[in-house]
Amino acid sequence: MIRQALIRKQRLIVYVLLALIVITTVVSMGLGYSKLSYDRLIPTLIGQGSFKEDFVLFSIRLPRIIVTLLAGMALALSGAILQGVTRNDLADPGIIGINSGAGVAITIFYLFAPIDAGSFVYMLPLVAFVGAIVTAFFIYVFSYDRSVGVQPIKLVLMGVGFSIALSGAMIVLISSAERTKVDFISKWLAGNIWGADWPFIWAILPWLAILIPFALYKANQLNLLGLSEPAAVGVGVSIEKERIVLLITAVALAASAVSVAGGISFIGLMAPHIAKALVGPRNQLFIPIAILIGGWLLLFADTIGRNIVDPDGIAAGIMVALIGAPYFIYLILKK
């Protein structure tokens, strides 16, 4: 049974994170290549802005902010599930190659498939999911041992190997492509929030609306999978079935995020760790916090990145990596 004091602490942290997200959102709405005065935000939001203010806020800033938040939440939840399923604190969809698998599928689709402008946005998450699930399947198979099950360290090493190989495959694929398509894939690789328009929100939102409640519903199964395999079997958990279902959930979340936000790593690594440090390892408690931390981290990184250098800024993926890479090294040395 979860202690009431811990539940109250979780609620307080949730409120603080929601306040941080609101503050960062407001700051982000005003900053950019085209400035928007903060005293004009509320009038513009309620329909009393000028044409320029309406265009900057509703066509440029708000879609990007919402896409960034949703992508960060999806990546954080994906990382939390992967860490629980593999019992490996270093698991992250970017680090273990799932993002790269999605990226190769998107690259092939973008370069070679006949693209219909009306359905392109909505096809991207599905295409990314196919690439990511195929990659996850091979990583799982190569890191699985019949006698001991999934080997956590081997899974990370296999994932890193697949990530490098698939990133190389993307470079080979774009080496002979036309310049405009190369620019798109290059921005994707850097983790540039490129899907900054309203259709991309409608493309990613259904995935989160279904998968976040499902993951919370499966939180107790994740707790049990964190036990040793004999203990989990002893309490009636169908280990392989639950692992596969949860792994597919994590892959779908990561694929939906990277299809609109590019190849972003480390959000899925950092957010669950920070959440566990705040409220402990019970999934029912830390997953909601990890989701909010992931959304805020990516929004904060993108806000800083796009304003640090004019006019295009620095990709959010690079900003996150500047924080996440040292944290990854710290975790390796600690574990």
Side-chain angles (χ1 to χ4, degrees), residues 43-275:
T44 305
L45 284 169
I46 62 175
Q48 297 177 4
S50 65
F51 174 80
K52 179 186 174 184
E53 289 167 340
D54 284 343
F55 179 78
V56 169
L57 186 59
F58 291 108
S59 297
I60 300 175
R61 299 278 162 74
L62 267 182
R64 185 182 182 112
I65 289 168
I66 296 171
V67 163
T68 304
L69 270 173
L70 294 177
M73 290 176 176
L75 290 169
L77 180 53
S78 178
I81 294 171
L82 286 173
Q83 289 171 21
V85 167
T86 63
R87 295 201 295 271
N88 190 325
D89 288 341
L90 302 179
D92 169 89
I95 294 169
I96 68 172
I98 292 173
N99 289 2
S100 295
V104 168
I106 289 173
T107 302
I108 293 171
F109 176 70
Y110 185 70
L111 293 179
F112 304 112
I115 296 173
D116 174 43
S119 61
F120 174 69
V121 171
Y122 304 100
M123 285 292 294
L124 280 179
L126 291 172
V127 171
F129 176 70
V130 171
I133 200 69
V134 170
T135 305
F137 171 77
F138 282 109
I139 293 170
Y140 190 88
V141 167
F142 285 122
S143 60
Y144 184 83
D145 187 282
R146 285 187 179 182
S147 58
V148 296
V150 174
Q151 300 176 72
I153 297 299
K154 192 173 181 181
L155 183 139
V156 170
L157 294 175
M158 282 290 175
V160 170
F162 268 86
S163 181
I164 294 169
L166 291 168
S167 296
M170 273 190 277
I171 293 170
V172 171
L173 284 168
I174 66 174
S175 61
S176 58
E178 57 188 84
R179 179 62 184 271
T180 54
K181 293 189 174 184
V182 171
D183 288 344
F184 168 78
I185 301 299
S186 299
K187 288 180 179 179
W188 191 97
L189 284 167
N192 199 325
I193 309 293
W194 69 275
D197 206 350
W198 292 103
F200 293 93
I201 297 171
W202 312 133
I204 187 177
L205 193 58
W207 294 72
L208 271 69
I210 295 169
L211 296 174
I212 288 177
F214 180 75
L216 292 171
Y217 170 72
K218 287 286 187 179
N220 195 52
Q221 299 299 316
L222 272 171
N223 289 332
L224 296 174
L225 286 174
L227 305 172
S228 64
E229 292 204 8
V233 171
V235 296
V237 177
S238 178
I239 292 178
E240 289 308 315
K241 177 186 173 184
E242 293 296 339
R243 269 184 182 157
I244 290 170
V245 168
L246 287 164
L247 183 61
I248 291 171
T249 303
V251 168
L253 285 161
S256 66
V258 302
S259 67
V260 297
I264 295 173
S265 299
F266 298 113
I267 291 288
L269 176 75
M270 293 187 293
H273 278 280
I274 296 169

